[in-house]
PDB file of all heavy atoms in Angstrom:
ATOM      1  N   ALA A1169     167.917 262.195 187.866  1.00 47.00           N
ATOM      2  CA  ALA A1169     167.898 261.743 186.470  1.00 47.00           C
ATOM      3  C   ALA A1169     167.860 262.957 185.557  1.00 47.00           C
ATOM      4  O   ALA A1169     167.250 263.976 185.867  1.00 47.00           O
ATOM      5  CB  ALA A1169     166.673 260.868 186.230  1.00 47.00           C
ATOM      6  N   ASP A1170     168.555 262.843 184.452  1.00 47.00           N
ATOM      7  CA  ASP A1170     168.484 263.940 183.496  1.00 47.00           C
ATOM      8  C   ASP A1170     167.116 263.952 182.836  1.00 47.00           C
ATOM      9  O   ASP A1170     166.267 263.085 183.023  1.00 47.00           O
ATOM     10  CB  ASP A1170     169.606 263.811 182.459  1.00 47.00           C
ATOM     11  CG  ASP A1170     169.536 262.500 181.731  1.00 47.00           C
ATOM     12  OD1 ASP A1170     168.431 261.975 181.593  1.00 47.00           O
ATOM     13  OD2 ASP A1170     170.601 262.029 181.307  1.00 47.00           O
ATOM     14  N   GLU A1171     166.874 264.985 182.005  1.00 46.00           N
ATOM     15  CA  GLU A1171     165.546 265.169 181.437  1.00 46.00           C
ATOM     16  C   GLU A1171     165.167 264.018 180.538  1.00 46.00           C
ATOM     17  O   GLU A1171     164.016 263.585 180.506  1.00 46.00           O
ATOM     18  CB  GLU A1171     165.502 266.484 180.659  1.00 46.00           C
ATOM     19  CG  GLU A1171     165.680 267.711 181.557  1.00 46.00           C
ATOM     20  CD  GLU A1171     165.582 269.012 180.745  1.00 46.00           C
ATOM     21  OE1 GLU A1171     165.418 268.916 179.533  1.00 46.00           O
ATOM     22  OE2 GLU A1171     165.644 270.090 181.348  1.00 46.00           O
ATOM     23  N   ASP A1172     166.122 263.468 179.800  1.00 48.00           N
ATOM     24  CA  ASP A1172     165.801 262.358 178.887  1.00 48.00           C
ATOM     25  C   ASP A1172     165.352 261.131 179.661  1.00 48.00           C
ATOM     26  O   ASP A1172     164.382 260.469 179.312  1.00 48.00           O
ATOM     27  CB  ASP A1172     167.014 262.008 178.017  1.00 48.00           C
ATOM     28  CG  ASP A1172     167.314 263.144 177.032  1.00 48.00           C
ATOM     29  OD1 ASP A1172     166.379 263.937 176.784  1.00 48.00           O
ATOM     30  OD2 ASP A1172     168.454 263.203 176.550  1.00 48.00           O
ATOM     31  N   ASP A1173     166.096 260.799 180.756  1.00 45.00           N
ATOM     32  CA  ASP A1173     165.717 259.637 181.553  1.00 45.00           C
ATOM     33  C   ASP A1173     164.371 259.840 182.206  1.00 45.00           C
ATOM     34  O   ASP A1173     163.547 258.930 182.278  1.00 45.00           O
ATOM     35  CB  ASP A1173     166.765 259.344 182.620  1.00 45.00           C
ATOM     36  CG  ASP A1173     168.029 258.768 181.999  1.00 45.00           C
ATOM     37  OD1 ASP A1173     167.931 258.345 180.839  1.00 45.00           O
ATOM     38  OD2 ASP A1173     169.072 258.749 182.669  1.00 45.00           O
ATOM     39  N   ALA A1174     164.139 261.032 182.728  1.00 45.00           N
ATOM     40  CA  ALA A1174     162.857 261.309 183.364  1.00 45.00           C
ATOM     41  C   ALA A1174     161.713 261.157 182.395  1.00 45.00           C
ATOM     42  O   ALA A1174     160.651 260.634 182.721  1.00 45.00           O
ATOM     43  CB  ALA A1174     162.871 262.727 183.974  1.00 45.00           C
ATOM     44  N   GLN A1175     161.923 261.647 181.183  1.00 46.00           N
ATOM     45  CA  GLN A1175     160.852 261.537 180.188  1.00 46.00           C
ATOM     46  C   GLN A1175     160.588 260.090 179.822  1.00 46.00           C
ATOM     47  O   GLN A1175     159.448 259.658 179.663  1.00 46.00           O
ATOM     48  CB  GLN A1175     161.231 262.324 178.932  1.00 46.00           C
ATOM     49  CG  GLN A1175     160.126 262.325 177.853  1.00 46.00           C
ATOM     50  CD  GLN A1175     158.868 263.009 178.306  1.00 46.00           C
ATOM     51  OE1 GLN A1175     158.908 263.882 179.156  1.00 46.00           O
ATOM     52  NE2 GLN A1175     157.741 262.584 177.781  1.00 46.00           N
ATOM     53  N   ARG A1176     161.670 259.304 179.727  1.00 43.00           N
ATOM     54  CA  ARG A1176     161.474 257.887 179.407  1.00 43.00           C
ATOM     55  C   ARG A1176     160.737 257.175 180.524  1.00 43.00           C
ATOM     56  O   ARG A1176     159.930 256.305 180.277  1.00 43.00           O
ATOM     57  CB  ARG A1176     162.820 257.215 179.148  1.00 43.00           C
ATOM     58  CG  ARG A1176     163.398 257.526 177.777  1.00 43.00           C
ATOM     59  CD  ARG A1176     164.507 256.531 177.433  1.00 43.00           C
ATOM     60  NE  ARG A1176     165.645 256.656 178.341  1.00 43.00           N
ATOM     61  CZ  ARG A1176     166.671 257.465 178.103  1.00 43.00           C
ATOM     62  NH1 ARG A1176     166.707 258.201 177.023  1.00 43.00           N
ATOM     63  NH2 ARG A1176     167.676 257.529 178.955  1.00 43.00           N
ATOM     64  N   ILE A1177     161.040 257.510 181.780  1.00 40.00           N
ATOM     65  CA  ILE A1177     160.369 256.870 182.894  1.00 40.00           C
ATOM     66  C   ILE A1177     158.924 257.320 182.981  1.00 40.00           C
ATOM     67  O   ILE A1177     158.030 256.542 183.271  1.00 40.00           O
ATOM     68  CB  ILE A1177     161.109 257.158 184.212  1.00 40.00           C
ATOM     69  CG1 ILE A1177     162.528 256.566 184.150  1.00 40.00           C
ATOM     70  CG2 ILE A1177     160.357 256.617 185.406  1.00 40.00           C
ATOM     71  CD1 ILE A1177     163.383 256.957 185.292  1.00 40.00           C
ATOM     72  N   LYS A1178     158.674 258.575 182.672  1.00 42.00           N
ATOM     73  CA  LYS A1178     157.313 259.084 182.726  1.00 42.00           C
ATOM     74  C   LYS A1178     156.446 258.485 181.661  1.00 42.00           C
ATOM     75  O   LYS A1178     155.276 258.183 181.874  1.00 42.00           O
ATOM     76  CB  LYS A1178     157.344 260.604 182.590  1.00 42.00           C
ATOM     77  CG  LYS A1178     155.947 261.244 182.676  1.00 42.00           C
ATOM     78  CD  LYS A1178     156.049 262.756 182.569  1.00 42.00           C
ATOM     79  CE  LYS A1178     154.662 263.403 182.662  1.00 42.00           C
ATOM     80  NZ  LYS A1178     154.725 264.860 182.528  1.00 42.00           N
ATOM     81  N   ASP A1179     157.019 258.300 180.494  1.00 45.00           N
ATOM     82  CA  ASP A1179     156.269 257.760 179.360  1.00 45.00           C
ATOM     83  C   ASP A1179     156.880 256.443 178.945  1.00 45.00           C
ATOM     84  O   ASP A1179     157.757 256.419 178.100  1.00 45.00           O
ATOM     85  CB  ASP A1179     156.277 258.749 178.188  1.00 45.00           C
ATOM     86  CG  ASP A1179     155.635 260.072 178.576  1.00 45.00           C
ATOM     87  OD1 ASP A1179     154.634 260.041 179.301  1.00 45.00           O
ATOM     88  OD2 ASP A1179     156.143 261.108 178.153  1.00 45.00           O
ATOM     89  N   PRO A1180     156.471 255.321 179.570  1.00 47.00           N
ATOM     90  CA  PRO A1180     157.088 254.043 179.187  1.00 47.00           C
ATOM     91  C   PRO A1180     156.741 253.691 177.773  1.00 47.00           C
ATOM     92  O   PRO A1180     155.724 254.125 177.232  1.00 47.00           O
ATOM     93  CB  PRO A1180     156.458 253.057 180.180  1.00 47.00           C
ATOM     94  CG  PRO A1180     155.201 253.711 180.596  1.00 47.00           C
ATOM     95  CD  PRO A1180     155.460 255.175 180.568  1.00 47.00           C
TER      96      PRO A1180
END
Side-chain angles (χ1 to χ4, degrees):
D1170 58 29
E1171 295 182 358
D1172 292 339
D1173 288 344
Q1175 183 63 27
R1176 283 196 295 270
I1177 298 172
K1178 182 179 180 181
D1179 299 321

